[in-house]
Amino acid sequence: RGLVSVAQGLLVVAGVVYSGMVAWSGVLGGRVTDAASLTRAYEWQERLGLDARKTALALAELSPEKEEQYLLKAAQGEHPPVDALVRLSLRAEFGGRREEAIQYMERAVESERKYRVLLAAATQAARLGDEDRLLRRAAEALRYCPRDADDVFGLLVRAPRGAAVLAGARRAQREEYLRFLIGRQEYLAALEYQAELEGSARVEEL
């Protein structure tokens, strides 16, 4: 009877382990999206000392009451998921914690210098009234911009020194900014900017 009890106990343990490993493998394969399975996978990753940051980030999406807890876990260590840093930055910003918001956003930029991250940083800088950081990140965003840059142009057109950022942009982007201004019916700004574009097409021809 003692051996039977031990055997039954081992079966229970094996079942629990198997359940956790199935959930974990589902996470790795991208098939698991429910909170219960993700939580089991997250717990096993933690127990085994594995990188649980992506799972924590997924749980932050599904557990609003524990969102910040999971985001903080996801943001630990080197090369964390950039989405965790951006979301922590936004939580801090809208929670009135300006410096913390900037720190998380700058970590995101350093972690992944891509257009979407640079645009998020520039947009936040505009909200916070930090024109220097806005111009710096907008200039970088233009360098990494994969297609139309209207989102960046929309930030620059409201910044007193916004047009100056275009000085280092590609010729095509500079001309596109002129068309952007005309499309917004910012005719005076368009005329002023056209004067800065050496050899550009005349406003009347665009």
Side-chain angles (χ1 to χ4, degrees):
R1 183 176 299 177
L3 289 175
V4 170
S5 298
V6 170
Q8 288 175 336
L10 289 174
L11 282 173
V12 171
V13 172
V16 172
V17 172
Y18 176 74
S19 176
M21 295 303 288
V22 167
W24 179 17
S25 64
V27 170
L28 295 177
R31 300 186 302 275
V32 171
T33 57
D34 65 283
S37 296
L38 282 171
T39 300
R40 287 198 299 273
Y42 173 76
E43 290 171 350
W44 275 101
Q45 288 170 327
E46 287 278 274
R47 290 176 190 175
L48 296 173
L50 300 173
D51 189 347
R53 292 179 298 180
K54 288 186 178 180
T55 309
L57 181 59
L59 279 167
E61 294 274 1
L62 300 175
S63 310
E65 72 285 355
K66 295 183 178 179
E67 180 186 19
E68 187 164 15
Q69 171 188 328
Y70 284 126
L71 288 176
L72 287 170
K73 174 62 183 180
Q76 291 178 357
E78 296 183 358
H79 309 298
V82 70
D83 287 349
L85 297 172
V86 171
R87 288 171 60 182
L88 282 168
S89 176
L90 294 176
R91 285 182 64 91
E93 178 189 346
F94 293 109
R97 305 189 303 276
R98 178 190 175 97
E99 292 307 315
E100 183 181 339
I102 292 173
Q103 288 173 9
Y104 276 123
M105 190 64 75
E106 290 302 298
R107 278 185 65 195
V109 169
E110 293 303 317
S111 177
E112 186 177 292
R113 256 184 167 76
K114 293 186 178 179
Y115 177 71
R116 68 186 185 95
V117 183
L118 292 164
L119 178 61
T123 303
Q124 181 185 75
R127 286 194 301 267
L128 296 176
D130 186 345
E131 188 179 12
D132 287 339
R133 192 162 65 98
L134 161 61
L135 298 180
R136 185 169 65 254
R137 296 311 182 198
E140 289 183 279
L142 286 175
R143 289 201 294 272
Y144 287 88
C145 183
R147 40 189 180 276
D148 78 84
D150 281 4
D151 289 332
V152 180
F153 294 158
L155 296 173
L156 294 177
V157 76
R158 294 191 293 272
R161 293 178 286 140
V165 170
L166 276 296
R170 297 188 295 272
R171 177 71 185 190
Q173 288 179 325
R174 297 175 70 194
E175 293 180 349
E176 190 60 35
Y177 183 63
L178 181 56
R179 293 184 177 88
F180 171 82
L181 291 173
I182 295 170
R184 286 172 56 99
Q185 300 183 355
E186 301 275 355
Y187 298 126
L188 180 59
L191 286 167
E192 291 174 350
Y193 187 67
Q194 185 205 7
E196 300 174 16
L197 283 175
E198 181 179 286
S200 68
R202 296 185 60 81
V203 172
E204 295 83 356
E205 297 172 346
L206 294 174

